C-alpha cells in the first residue's frame, strides 16, 4: 500500500481469529514503534511491553471490564498480543513533562496501528482499559515496568478476518475554522 492507501483504509479492528502474529510481524511492528517521532528525541522516556501471556491478558481484560461495570465486556477483544506503551511523566528533577508523554505514546501506538494495517493484521488503540487498570497495583507490578514509567495506552494486535480497503473520509468530521 502507498501511504495514502494505508491512511485511508486504516480502521479499528476489534475482532481477531485467535491466531498469534508471527515473530517477523512483531519485529516490523516494533520497528515502526521505534520509528516514531518523540519529543526532544528522548527515546529513553518511552518503554514498550509486549504482552502475549494469556493469563496476564485475561487479567487485564477482566479487571478493565470490572472497572467499566460490565463483566461480559472484553476491552481487549481477545487479541493475542497487546503492546503497552509507557512514558516517563517527569524529568529527573521531578519536573512534569507536561503534554509530551501521552502525545508521545499516542504517536508510538499509531505508528504500530499503521504498520498493522499495512501487514493486514487487526489492530486497535486501547486507552480505556489501560486507564482502568492504572490503579490495579497487582497488575502494574506484573508489567515489570522500569521505575517512574506510567502506562499510557496500548495497541491490541492479532490476525483477523477483516480486510482493509480505502474508505470515503468526510473532510468535515473534525470541525475547523479558517483564518484567512
Ligand atoms: C486516543 C484514542 C483512544 C482510543 N481508545 C480506544 C479504546 O480504549 N478502545 C477501543 O475499542 N477503541 C479505542 N479507540 C479507537 C476509536 O474508538 C476509533 O479510532 C474511532 O471510533 C474511529 O474509528 P476507526 O478507528 O475505525 O476509524 C481509541 C482511539 C484513540 C485515538
Amino acid at each position: 500500500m502507498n501511504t495514502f492507501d494505508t491512511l485511508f483504509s486504516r480502521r479499528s479492528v476489534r475482532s481477531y481469529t485467535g491466531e498469534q502474529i508471527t515473530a517477523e510481524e512483531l519485529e516490523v511492528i516494533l520497528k515502526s514503534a521505534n520509528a516514531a517521532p518523540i519529543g526532544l528525541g528522548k527515546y529513553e522516556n518511552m518503554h514498550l511491553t509486549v504482552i502475549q501471556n494469556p493469563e496476564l491478558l485475561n487479567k487485564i481484560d477482566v479487571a478493565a471490564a470490572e472497572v467499566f461495570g460490565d463483566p461480559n465486556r472484553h476491552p481487549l477483544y481477545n487479541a493475542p498480543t497487546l503492546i503497552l506503551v509507557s512514558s516517563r511523566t517527569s524529568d529527573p528533577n521531578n519536573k512534569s513533562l507536561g503534554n509530551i508523554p501521552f502525545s508521545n505514546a499516542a504517536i508510538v501506538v499509531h505508528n504500530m496501528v499503521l504498520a498493522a494495517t499495512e501487514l493486514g493484521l487487526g489492530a486497535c488503540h486501547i486507552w480505556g482499559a489501560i486507564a482502568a487498570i492504572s490503579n490495579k497495583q497487582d497488575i502494574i507490578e506484573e508489567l515489570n515496568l522500569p521505575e517512574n514509567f506510567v502506562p499510557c495506552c496500548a495497541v491490541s494486535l492479532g490476525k483477523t478476518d477483516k480486510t482493509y480497503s480505502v474508505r470515503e473520509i468526510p473532510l468535515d468530521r473534525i470541525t475547523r475554522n479558517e483564518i484567512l
Side-chain angles (χ1 to χ4, degrees):
M1 275 192 237
N2 69 37
T3 304
F4 289 126
D5 286 349
T6 307
L7 285 175
F8 300 147
S9 61
R10 180 218 58 81
R11 63 191 174 109
S12 296
V13 171
R14 302 181 175 89
S15 135
Y16 306 96
T17 63
E19 191 186 339
Q20 188 54 277
I21 64 172
T22 66
E24 291 75 21
E25 287 165 338
L26 179 60
E27 192 178 321
V28 175
I29 298 279
L30 293 175
K31 189 171 174 180
S32 305
N34 279 274
I38 293 296
L40 296 170
K42 289 190 177 282
Y43 288 83
E44 66 272 24
N45 286 344
M46 305 304 298
H47 185 79
L48 300 172
T49 308
V50 178
I51 308 170
Q52 294 181 322
N53 176 291
E55 285 82 35
L56 182 54
L57 288 171
N58 186 52
K59 210 183 264 191
I60 296 170
D61 193 63
V62 168
E66 198 178 280
V67 173
F68 294 156
D70 180 359
N72 296 320
R73 209 161 139 180
H74 289 288
L76 303 188
Y77 308 111
N78 299 311
T81 294
L82 186 76
I83 303 182
L84 175 70
V85 181
S86 304
S87 294
R88 275 201 178 102
T89 55
S90 53
D91 73 8
N93 303 318
N94 237 7
K95 194 172 159 243
S96 164
L97 294 173
N99 60 6
I100 300 270
F102 282 79
S103 308
N104 282 340
I107 293 168
V108 168
V109 160
H110 202 56
N111 259 26
M112 293 193 277
V113 167
L114 292 174
T117 306
E118 176 71 29
L119 292 168
L121 298 173
C124 186
H125 277 256
I126 302 291
W127 289 72
I130 301 309
I133 58 138
S134 61
N135 292 324
K136 303 271 178 193
Q137 214 39 51
D138 55 328
I139 294 180
I140 298 297
E141 270 167 35
E142 271 194 70
L143 294 172
N144 200 21
L145 299 177
E147 216 177 319
N148 296 327
F149 278 79
V150 172
C152 297
C153 55
V155 57
S156 55
L157 291 161
K159 304 272 188 191
T160 186
D161 291 333
K162 308 282 178 201
T163 53
Y164 294 103
S165 55
V166 170
R167 300 192 291 176
E168 213 42 62
I169 311 283
L171 208 54
D172 59 355
R173 274 173 126 186
I174 300 176
T175 58
R176 71 169 181 274
N177 64 329
E178 295 182 359
I179 299 163
L180 305 172

